[in-house]
Amino acid sequence: MGADESRHERFQRVAEARTNKIIDMLRLLGNCSNRTNYEYSEDEVQQIFEALEQEMEEARSRFVFSGENGPRFSLRSRR
């Protein structure tokens, strides 16, 4: 980090690089779908994507400001 790089500029630089790494890895994971080279079950695919979705949700929740509360629980709001 340069001396004149702001915290926002640092965030942009680091987040962009990390996001691109994740995208690259997802594309590599997609290569595993080639049934000529790999054998897998639908259950295994489901497990992979459930794990990825859980990690995405956990990462997203870390961006919620600590001063903000999520929605309150209410049985009336469920239909």
Side-chain angles (χ1 to χ4, degrees):
M1 175 170 122
D4 51 339
E5 182 181 45
S6 72
R7 289 180 16 223
H8 184 249
E9 290 168 332
R10 181 172 181 234
F11 169 79
Q12 288 179 320
R13 178 178 53 81
V14 171
E16 182 178 285
R18 291 178 183 180
T19 300
N20 283 319
K21 285 180 185 180
I22 292 166
I23 290 169
D24 290 342
M25 295 307 294
L26 286 170
R27 289 177 179 157
L28 287 175
L29 176 62
N31 291 345
C32 291
S33 67
N34 184 337
R35 290 207 181 254
T36 302
N37 295 320
Y38 305 102
E39 182 179 317
Y40 52 88
S41 70
E42 292 305 314
D43 183 58
E44 290 170 319
V45 172
Q46 186 68 26
Q47 289 178 49
I48 290 168
F49 285 95
E50 284 175 4
L52 292 172
E53 288 167 2
Q54 180 179 344
E55 288 298 324
M56 285 286 294
E57 189 56 39
E58 288 178 19
R60 182 186 306 271
S61 71
R62 293 178 70 184
F63 281 90
V64 175
F65 296 110
S66 60
E68 295 180 9
N69 294 323
R72 301 283 298 166
F73 174 78
S74 171
L75 290 174
R76 290 172 287 182
S77 66
R78 292 182 176 220
R79 298 201 190 281

